[in-house]
Amino acid sequence: MTGTMAAEGRWKALALICVGVVGVLTTWFSATAIVPELIVTWSLSTSQAAWLTNAVQLGFVLGAVGASLVNLPDIVRMNRLMAASSAVAALANASLLLQPGPELAIAARFVTGIALAGVYPPALKLMATWFVKGRGLALGFLIGALTLGSSMPHLFRAVTDGLDWRVVVMLTTATTLVGTLLFAFAVREGPHAFGRATFDPRQSLKVFTSRGLFLTNLGYFGHMWELYAMWAWILAFASAAEAGLEPFPFGSASMLSFIVVASGVVGCLLGGWLSDRIGRCLTTAGMMAVSGVCAALIGFAFTGPGWLLALIGIVWGISIIGDSAQFSAAVTELADRNFVGTALALQLGIGFALTAATIWLVPVVADWLGGWNWAFLVLIPGPVVGALAMMRLRALPESARLAGGAR
């Protein structure tokens, strides 16, 4: 393959992978977006409502860590693994249409999380086989696709307001099936393939033996402490604020939630562009600094004015995810090339385990404080620790291995 053909092919591959990821990732928050209706339909408690989201997180953890222990992302062809996993996610998501009740619905969400662990980490590795130069921007596009897909259930709920909640489940299942077909028939590995691994469970521990990987992962864990808790509970925060704000920004809590989460697409592209120019370390630390400030400030805008609530929410939506792809890009540059998939899966697995803790914690804090105004303050330690870790990495010789002028 000539350089020109490879360059042309990589942008087509980028588009196909991103479209597939958008489709499949709609299942992540498909139940979260309809929680108000499910609370009424199934008489859910606050704890059960939280588990509709947390079950996905824990399923993802089990799937990602389990895959890393057997080196699955480095043994099975990535497009096949992603297609099979997407099909399972579609089936698990569609099972909500049967109105199984809270216990079986939570189990179905858990299976959805396991399936998504066979899509997201392999997609990161697959993208890296198409890009060496510009990898940060390419992975920014991919995490942007994840962000857009995660926000889509809120959009589906906003535009189908007044219709049965099962319409949202139908739409998210349909988009997931589109992603399944793309991964099965239209996506392939790029010209910069990583080595093919053999089964070696010791590699799941070796990915943490270097200072560079340890600090990269510590930064990622700080980022994850904040990210999914905000995504999971921004609808509850907005719904509580909506009662006291007239007019409410963007017309409804669901539409505001969609715009806040979807604005992260801009952050992902900005983060990718910045990281290839000023480095992974400065980009991630800067994004976490801004997102931490937004977590501290958004409570002040709870009672209005509406434009301020929307502004802080959008800036937070941009900054909270804008650094995410760069932690994965750093792992692809620092880890053993034969076990990049294993390193990514383990990083993501531990990171998502943390999200289960904060998704549980935020509504507990809201209840303790008597309202949602200041519930997001509990998220601030994550970006603080993460930013410090990445600035420490920037001072080490290992940072020279990162693309984009890390030092």
Side-chain angles (χ1 to χ4, degrees):
M1 178 180 292
T2 67
T4 301
M5 291 173 64
E8 292 176 351
R10 67 179 187 163
W11 293 110
K12 179 181 178 181
L14 173 67
L16 291 171
I17 295 170
C18 285
V19 171
V21 166
V22 169
V24 177
L25 266 292
T26 60
T27 60
W28 202 299
F29 290 113
S30 59
T32 305
I34 53 175
V35 156
E37 290 94 333
L38 296 182
I39 288 175
V40 174
T41 302
W42 294 342
S43 301
L44 299 179
S45 66
T46 301
S47 175
Q48 288 173 321
W51 273 106
L52 286 174
T53 299
N54 246 346
V56 182
Q57 311 298 118
L58 292 178
F60 186 93
V61 171
L62 177 64
V65 174
S68 72
L69 289 174
V70 298
N71 313 126
L72 190 64
D74 299 303
I75 296 174
V76 179
R77 286 190 178 277
M78 288 174 281
N79 66 315
R80 293 177 183 174
L81 176 60
M82 292 162 67
S85 299
S86 299
V88 173
L91 289 173
N93 192 64
S95 70
L96 297 177
L97 296 172
L98 302 177
Q99 299 195 57
E103 290 79 13
L104 291 178
I106 290 170
R109 302 306 293 154
F110 185 77
V111 173
T112 301
I114 294 175
L116 291 174
V119 177
Y120 178 25
L124 293 170
K125 182 184 176 184
L126 182 62
M127 183 68 74
T129 68
W130 284 98
F131 288 84
V132 176
K133 182 180 180 181
R135 180 175 292 178
L137 180 59
L139 290 173
F141 272 103
L142 181 57
I143 303 302
L146 176 148
T147 303
L148 182 59
S150 299
S151 71
M152 290 299 286
H154 292 298
L155 177 62
F156 292 156
R157 178 70 285 180
V159 299
T160 61
D161 188 29
L163 299 180
D164 192 287
W165 58 264
R166 284 170 290 191
V167 175
V168 175
V169 178
M170 293 176 188
L171 290 172
T172 53
T173 300
T175 60
T176 302
L177 291 174
V178 171
T180 302
L181 294 174
L182 285 175
F183 294 145
F185 301 111
V187 171
R188 59 184 177 83
E189 196 169 296
H192 308 292
F194 296 97
R196 187 74 64 187
T198 57
F199 174 65
D200 183 0
R202 294 172 298 176
Q203 289 296 330
S204 63
L205 300 178
K206 287 183 178 180
V207 298
F208 295 112
T209 57
S210 76
R211 290 182 302 175
L213 277 176
F214 174 78
L215 289 170
T216 298
N217 286 316
L218 184 59
Y220 179 74
F221 300 154
H223 155 77
M224 291 297 281
W225 177 267
E226 181 188 23
L227 175 62
Y228 274 83
M230 187 275 241
W231 277 4
W233 294 114
I234 189 63
L235 176 60
F237 180 91
S239 297
E242 187 177 16
L245 279 180
E246 183 63 39
F248 191 76
F250 305 113
S252 71
S254 291
M255 185 59 76
L256 176 63
S257 299
F258 164 70
I259 290 173
V260 167
V261 178
S263 66
V265 175
V266 176
C268 292
L269 300 181
L270 178 62
W273 182 83
L274 285 172
S275 73
D276 287 334
R277 285 156 180 80
I278 66 173
R280 316 274 187 236
C281 298
L282 281 179
T283 299
T284 53
M287 289 285 185
M288 283 187 282
V290 173
S291 65
V293 169
C294 290
L297 293 180
I298 198 165
F300 288 101
F302 184 81
T303 56
W307 66 264
L308 182 61
L309 177 63
L311 177 62
I312 295 174
I314 290 171
V315 173
W316 198 10
I318 291 171
S319 57
I320 199 170
I321 188 66
D323 52 350
S324 190
Q326 306 319 313
F327 297 109
S328 300
V331 166
T332 67
E333 293 159 346
L334 294 172
D336 183 331
R337 287 185 59 82
N338 288 334
F339 292 93
V340 167
T342 296
L344 287 170
L346 194 58
Q347 180 198 58
L348 295 171
I350 297 174
F352 277 88
L354 283 175
T355 70
T358 51
I359 288 172
W360 169 82
L361 184 59
V362 168
V364 171
V365 171
D367 288 340
W368 180 59
L369 295 176
W372 280 92
N373 308 48
W374 306 109
F376 287 135
L377 291 178
V378 74
L379 303 180
I380 295 174
V384 170
V385 171
L388 291 174
M390 296 308 291
M391 291 308 294
R392 173 58 180 158
L393 175 59
R394 186 170 184 264
L396 297 180
E398 286 90 332
S399 67
R401 295 170 60 186
L402 302 177
R407 300 193 67 186

